[in-house]
Amino acid sequence: MGVIHIIGAGGIGCAIAYALEMVGFPVMIVERSAEKIEAGRRDGLRVDQLPPLPVEFISFSVWNPASDATIILCTKCYD
């Protein structure tokens, strides 16, 4: 399996991404908020008091997944 695309860098998206990274699955976080992308690139993936992990953060506007990509949607229903 290739990179798992997590859509949404909120609490649920980050928790799922962190858990997947910890067990060896590479993840990419796709986010529309420039502030969240900047923070993720600068500080890494952070969940509570756990050590940060280096994860790729990318803007939704430039995201172009492969047709067979694994995608996990972690957004609010109105997004």
Side-chain angles (χ1 to χ4, degrees):
M1 178 184 300
V3 173
I4 299 173
H5 302 253
I6 306 292
I7 312 304
I12 298 299
C14 287
I16 290 171
Y18 199 98
L20 288 169
E21 273 286 331
M22 289 300 294
V23 296
F25 291 100
V27 300
M28 171 190 294
I29 297 180
V30 182
E31 175 59 49
R32 67 180 178 158
S33 165
E35 293 82 15
K36 287 184 179 182
I37 294 168
E38 179 184 340
R41 289 176 176 170
R42 181 187 63 235
D43 303 329
L45 176 60
R46 302 184 63 93
V47 174
D48 290 330
Q49 300 301 316
L50 298 171
L53 298 176
V55 171
E56 182 177 1
F57 281 75
I58 186 171
S59 173
F60 189 80
S61 64
V62 298
W63 177 57
N64 188 18
S67 62
D68 63 345
T70 301
I71 300 169
I72 300 176
L73 182 62
C74 298
T75 64
K76 306 226 179 4
C77 62
Y78 57 81
D79 286 345

